[in-house]
Amino acid sequence: MSTTPQPRPPELQAVHVDALLQDTTPWLSCDECFERMDAYAEAAVRDPGNRDEAMATHLRGCAACDEEAQSLIQLLRGGGA
Ligand SMILES: [Zn+2]
């Protein structure tokens, strides 16, 4: 018989909270997002690897701006040539 008691790490939650707090640091308002939308879409079309992290974070949490950005990117891709 082997009894292996597993102690619960109480600091795991603190780490989790810290990660969540860090995630909101590059947060943009929708106004700022719209201001950078053109540049973001152009950069996304030209170089998909070169992403604006602040924009990406906002778009991940804001469906309205994400839709706007996606349609703008598609527009640039479709009418670029
Ligand atoms: Zn937004």
Side-chain angles (χ1 to χ4, degrees):
M1 287 181 192
S2 61
T3 52
T4 49
Q6 293 183 341
R8 296 171 191 169
E11 289 193 27
L12 196 71
Q13 276 197 326
V15 171
H16 214 79
V17 169
D18 201 48
L20 284 173
L21 286 175
Q22 269 192 335
D23 197 44
T24 57
T25 303
W27 188 262
L28 295 173
S29 70
C30 284
D31 280 346
E32 287 173 310
C33 184
F34 267 107
E35 275 179 32
R36 298 164 73 151
M37 188 82 71
D38 283 352
Y40 173 80
E42 272 180 42
V45 171
R46 284 187 190 180
D47 183 9
N50 184 21
R51 278 196 179 180
D52 189 329
E53 263 190 54
M55 284 289 289
T57 301
H58 180 89
L59 296 181
R60 231 176 276 148
C62 185
C65 288
D66 186 47
E67 246 180 69
E68 193 71 25
Q70 291 307 318
S71 63
L72 192 59
I73 287 170
Q74 284 200 335
L75 197 77
L76 287 172
R77 277 196 182 135

